[in-house]
Amino acid sequence: MNNRLDEWTEKDEAYMKKYVQSHPDNRMAWYLLGKQYEKDGQLRKASYCYNQAGDIYKAFENEPLPIERFQEEQMLLVQAIHKRMRKRNRIKQGMRVFAALLLLLLIAPIVIGEDAMAPSTERNVDKVTQTKPEGEPQTSKPVDKQSEGKEEEPDKGHILPVPGHGSVVYVEKTSSAQSDRQLRQAVVKAAKQNQSSTLVTLQKHGRWSIWTTEPQVWAIVKSKAQSESRSSQTYFPGDADCECEPERIQAAKEAAAWARDAEHRLMAMSTHAAVLVQGKLPPASVSELAKGYPRNVVSGIDAEWSEVYKDVHNKLAVKTVPKTKRALDKQWATLAANPFKEPLRIIIDKKSHRLAVVSGSIMLRNYKVGLGGERTPEGSFVISEKVVNPKGSSSGAYGSRGMALSHTQYAIHGTNDLDSIGQDESLGCIRMSNADVEELFDLVAMGTKVTITSGHLPDVTVVPADDERYRIPLTPGQENPNKVYKWLD
């Protein structure tokens, strides 16, 4: 059945939509439509279809319905909150008992001393019983104030995150069932820790998570200090009945700021790693890498992440070049560039005619390219040379940018023949439109790994609008007029 679903077209999907509309009781149709939505990464729509499929879904997937999993996780969340509240009440009760005992210990010596010194007459006894209540407030007030202060301490703004400054947690989408489970677990964890969190995710396309600087806000957890109730609160902005517009707007801002910071850290760490891949020690400043040809490791200086690069360089304090991939991976893990698991790399797919810029399972770009069929070799390479206007002008056969692969005659470059994009017409090189190759030139550093393979990338475009493309000021002198390039175009 899965093989059949892989062959579905948009026409098939449109037909199935109409079919379930006219046959709403056909549970198998709902199940098949849900599988197609899940394959396309539309997990909310898939969950809805699975709920409509009912027992059919349970029979094929051998697991509860998404709505049943949701209810179960909600119940666990409520139980966790109640458990925390009971624990807090026990602590408060214990502190009250402690305060009462402390009060008795403070009062007892005073009462005993006064009673011992007083004559045994009714009048003096009455006097003692009258002065005792006056003494109690004087001794109990400081003790009660201290215990109250301890109970109120968690609500102080300087201890817990202030409103608008909660942490952002990335939750990767997997299958529909696993994604729901991961989300609920993340919500429960944040609630247990009494930590305000914005839980974000990325849209999936097959195995790839599609990167964006505006990630989807999946859930919002407000700590007790920020919520209107005495316990933490959870909102799901994607639900139609969620009355959380102010929270949604604030969370979207925090998610966007987190994404920008993550992207800057990725660029800085990837540049640092690319220098190490070339067998060199990275300099302390990006400016040393943004020189004219042939020292143009990067095409220019991005002010937004150049300071991050300095921080990366200082924290790693690399003295020798790592000799193994494992050592490089260990360095990357040391700095934790969440959600990115590895440096930027390039994948070129001969089957789909795509060139993607990825980090782990996150896809940042996916361009349409022209190739040479069997003339384009498969294998692993690195960008060994970067040059502006390889043929002397942006209108030449190699376009406005060129990046050689491992000092061979194969290269990634622009083209003046846009009709060849998506075709196998080159002699082996990878052709891109000038707009795409110029952005790629700015995105990746010399030393970036390149893998040419077949059947790994989806035939879907992941490219921002022209006014949102990644651009940095180009360092002058990156042409190489003294060399005649003879790449296999």
Side-chain angles (χ1 to χ4, degrees), residues 375-377 381 384-385 398 403-413 426-430 483-489:
R375 295 181 293 273
T376 300
F381 306 85
S384 55
E385 182 182 8
Y398 297 153
M403 289 162 276
L405 302 181
S406 297
H407 302 286
T408 66
Q409 288 184 292
Y410 299 102
I412 302 169
H413 58 72
S426 80
L427 296 177
C429 284
I430 297 88
K483 181 176 179 178
V484 176
Y485 288 91
K486 296 181 179 180
W487 292 325
L488 295 172
D489 180 53

Side-chain angles (χ1 to χ4, degrees), residues 44 70 74 184 217-218 235-244:
R44 287 189 179 275
F70 175 81
Q74 284 293 94
R184 307 304 166 190
V217 177
W218 213 353
Y235 304 95
F236 297 95
D239 294 346
D241 58 347
C242 183
E243 298 179 359
C244 55

Side-chain angles (χ1 to χ4, degrees), residues 466-485:
D466 287 342
D467 59 346
E468 296 178 357
R469 283 183 182 268
Y470 183 73
R471 288 283 187 268
I472 55 178
L474 197 65
T475 300
Q478 297 189 61
E479 299 85 359
N480 185 21
N482 298 323
K483 181 176 179 178
V484 176
Y485 288 91

Side-chain angles (χ1 to χ4, degrees), residues 154-385:
D155 292 330
K156 292 182 180 180
H158 66 278
I159 294 178
L160 295 176
V162 297
H165 290 79
S167 62
V168 176
V169 179
Y170 172 68
V171 183
E172 182 181 2
K173 285 186 177 180
T174 50
S175 68
S176 179
Q178 289 176 324
S179 294
D180 286 346
R181 192 176 301 114
Q182 287 174 328
L183 172 61
R184 307 304 166 190
Q185 289 173 348
V187 168
V188 170
K189 181 178 179 180
K192 283 183 177 179
Q193 295 176 343
N194 194 25
Q195 176 182 357
S196 292
S197 301
T198 299
L199 277 59
V200 302
T201 189
L202 300 172
Q203 290 297 327
K204 293 284 285 191
H205 195 289
R207 58 168 290 215
W208 299 101
S209 297
I210 308 302
W211 177 252
T212 174
T213 53
E214 296 180 353
Q216 175 190 348
V217 177
W218 213 353
I220 304 168
V221 180
K222 295 181 68 175
S223 68
K224 186 184 74 171
Q226 296 184 22
S227 67
E228 297 177 356
S229 65
R230 293 182 62 82
S231 62
S232 60
Q233 291 180 300
T234 303
Y235 304 95
F236 297 95
D239 294 346
D241 58 347
C242 183
E243 298 179 359
C244 55
E245 187 61 14
E247 290 82 4
R248 185 194 66 77
I249 294 174
Q250 179 60 36
K253 292 179 180 178
E254 292 180 358
W258 167 84
R260 288 193 298 271
D261 290 344
E263 198 171 81
H264 295 159
R265 195 160 189 80
L266 171 66
M267 296 293 294
M269 291 176 63
S270 295
T271 300
H272 195 273
V275 177
L276 291 172
V277 167
Q278 297 178 81
K280 302 176 182 178
L281 287 176
S285 173
V286 177
S287 61
E288 295 300 313
L289 302 174
K291 301 292 187 179
Y293 178 90
R295 298 165 59 198
N296 53 335
V297 175
V298 293
S299 61
I301 297 176
D302 187 334
E304 292 186 318
W305 61 260
S306 59
E307 290 301 316
V308 181
Y309 176 90
K310 291 182 181 179
D311 178 62
V312 169
H313 180 80
N314 292 335
K315 286 184 176 179
L316 287 179
V318 179
K319 302 298 183 183
T320 58
V321 177
K323 296 182 179 179
T324 64
K325 181 181 182 299
R326 183 178 179 182
L328 285 170
D329 292 343
K330 186 176 180 180
Q331 285 188 358
W332 186 272
T334 300
L335 295 171
N338 187 49
F340 301 106
K341 304 300 184 184
E342 64 179 23
L344 286 175
R345 60 190 178 96
I346 294 172
I347 299 177
I348 298 168
D349 192 316
K350 294 172 62 176
K351 182 177 180 181
S352 60
H353 291 84
R354 292 285 175 178
L355 182 153
V357 181
V358 305
S359 171
S361 62
I362 298 179
M363 179 181 290
L364 290 88
R365 298 289 189 275
N366 199 26
Y367 305 104
K368 196 74 172 178
V369 295
L371 300 168
E374 294 299 322
R375 295 181 293 273
T376 300
E378 295 189 9
S380 299
F381 306 85
V382 296
I383 295 178
S384 55
E385 182 182 8

Side-chain angles (χ1 to χ4, degrees), residues 143-160:
V143 176
D144 287 343
K145 187 174 181 181
Q146 184 180 5
S147 63
E148 289 175 3
K150 288 182 180 179
E151 292 174 353
E152 297 293 332
E153 191 173 9
D155 292 330
K156 292 182 180 180
H158 66 278
I159 294 178
L160 295 176

